[in-house]
Amino acid sequence: MTHSVTIGDTLITDSSRAYVIAEIGHNHGGDLEKAAELVRMAAESGAQAAKLQKRDNKALFTKAMYNEPYTSRNSFGATYGEHREALEFGVREYRELAQLARELGIDFFSTAFDFPSVDFLAELGVPAIKIASGDLTNTPLLAYAAKTGIPLIVSTGGADMDEVRRAVDTVAPINDQLALLQCTAAYPATPEVLNLSVISTYREEFPDVVVGLSGHDVETESSVIAYTLGARVVEKHVTLDRSLPGSDHHFSLEGSHLRELVDSLERTRRSLGSPEKRQLPVEAPALRKMAKKLVAARDLTAGHILTTEDIAIKSPGDGLRPYLIDQVIGRPLSVALAADDAIQFTDLG
């Protein structure tokens, strides 16, 4: 299997660390300085990327939906359209944030919800384009985004396997730079609905696709489990304050949570290590102390033919291992041994 994708300067493979995306979304509340603070937080916490969401709102929504009243606690406008427009950044804001991300050494990109947004991001020169779960069945958008040649990261919340296959079959012939994220479209998602085992299903069915997790749960443990199952892209929403008004803040990670996530994922990578079982140099002191060797059970003379009664098994383990006992029994000693002397092959005739 050759799971791999390159985002910016980062090659993501089975052996690489997790590529952590700090999903800002619209948690900036339409405030450029807050967005910049979130990008800084992402970089300081060790994330590899910060991400926004890009919509051409008038093209995306029907007039009825655009103009419908929207007066909840989370609203930034009297209508849903006004709310969305208040949260939308244009080319000036995107360029400023992209420049900031470059200075901080992390990637910066966005989710495209429509054709104009794909064009917007392509012209900006982003290193990746995210496609949200709601557009997994939007094969025209998937194909349009794939044709840019920019790596795609596709979430799969709310889908069945046939829909996931259709999405991959749409993108893969056009653009082989694809990451597929297991996702549950619930906000927040509880452990019972995360279905992290789907990660293994994706890895088996799509051997050329990097698999990951877009997690809407409020904790970080699921991301660590996902990494052990093979997820190499991990996306989590981030916020400056979970108590802020807005639909995403309450399940987002604050800076300290994001740092712990990044650190936990790296500890997990190191802990998984190599699949080859072998004795490690670091184990030598403990093995010498706890393992056993073959020694003389009593004083033995040269020429004596060894029997089971002549051999004891004792620590330290710096001689012949006990599993070699059958190669020792029945052989004559070429030298005399005192009780507790180690038995060596060079001592045998």
Side-chain angles (χ1 to χ4, degrees), residues 21 23 51-54 109-115 117-119 121 128-148 150-157 167 171 175 177-183 214 235:
I21 303 169
E23 161 65 312
K51 188 179 78 65
L52 301 182
Q53 297 177 8
K54 183 60 184 166
F109 53 94
S110 185
T111 301
F113 284 82
D114 46 66
F115 296 95
S117 295
V118 170
D119 294 338
L121 295 173
I129 292 176
K130 173 76 188 295
I131 302 295
S133 294
D135 283 311
L136 185 74
T137 57
N138 188 350
T139 52
L141 181 64
L142 288 169
Y144 191 78
K147 289 173 184 176
T148 65
I150 299 170
L152 299 188
I153 302 169
V154 179
S155 277
T156 60
V171 173
N175 187 340
Q177 294 294 290
L178 173 62
L180 194 67
L181 307 189
Q182 164 60 356
C183 178
S214 179
E235 178 186 61

Side-chain angles (χ1 to χ4, degrees), residues 27-243:
N27 279 353
H28 51 69
D31 185 322
L32 179 59
E33 185 46 49
K34 284 184 179 178
E37 190 174 349
L38 283 160
V39 172
R40 293 187 195 96
M41 184 191 84
E44 291 166 1
S45 300
Q48 281 72 51
K51 188 179 78 65
L52 301 182
Q53 297 177 8
K54 183 60 184 166
R55 296 172 174 87
D56 185 324
N57 294 300
K58 289 187 177 178
L60 183 60
F61 302 111
T62 64
K63 287 183 179 180
M65 185 173 184
Y66 190 90
N67 293 321
E68 71 182 20
Y70 193 66
T71 57
S72 74
R73 175 179 182 268
N74 298 329
S75 176
F76 285 82
T79 66
Y80 190 69
E82 289 179 4
H83 163 76
R84 293 250 60 106
E85 299 290 6
L87 296 173
E88 201 66 48
F89 284 157
V91 66
R92 178 183 67 84
E93 291 88 352
Y94 267 78
R95 284 177 177 166
E96 286 193 27
L97 294 171
Q99 177 60 35
L100 174 61
R102 280 191 294 271
E103 293 169 359
L104 295 170
I106 65 171
D107 294 326
F108 173 79
F109 53 94
S110 185
T111 301
F113 284 82
D114 46 66
F115 296 95
S117 295
V118 170
D119 294 338
F120 176 94
L121 295 173
E123 291 170 10
L124 191 72
V126 294
I129 292 176
K130 173 76 188 295
I131 302 295
S133 294
D135 283 311
L136 185 74
T137 57
N138 188 350
T139 52
L141 181 64
L142 288 169
Y144 191 78
K147 289 173 184 176
T148 65
I150 299 170
L152 299 188
I153 302 169
V154 179
S155 277
T156 60
D160 60 31
M161 199 61 194
D162 285 341
E163 291 171 334
V164 175
R165 291 189 187 103
R166 185 184 300 113
V168 173
D169 289 344
T170 299
V171 173
I174 305 170
N175 187 340
D176 64 359
Q177 294 294 290
L178 173 62
L180 194 67
L181 307 189
Q182 164 60 356
C183 178
T184 301
Y187 310 90
T190 60
E192 294 79 11
V193 299
L194 290 175
N195 289 334
L196 298 179
S197 294
V198 171
I199 291 166
S200 299
T201 302
Y202 285 174
R203 284 175 53 80
E204 292 169 7
E205 176 128 0
F206 309 115
D208 297 323
V209 175
V210 167
V211 177
L213 173 70
S214 179
H216 299 143
D217 52 321
V218 298
E219 304 300 339
T220 60
E221 292 91 341
S222 64
S223 299
V224 172
I225 297 169
Y227 187 89
T228 67
L229 293 171
R232 292 297 177 265
V233 176
V234 173
E235 178 186 61
K236 294 287 285 186
H237 286 251
V238 296
T239 181
L240 299 174
D241 184 348
R242 279 182 168 176
S243 67

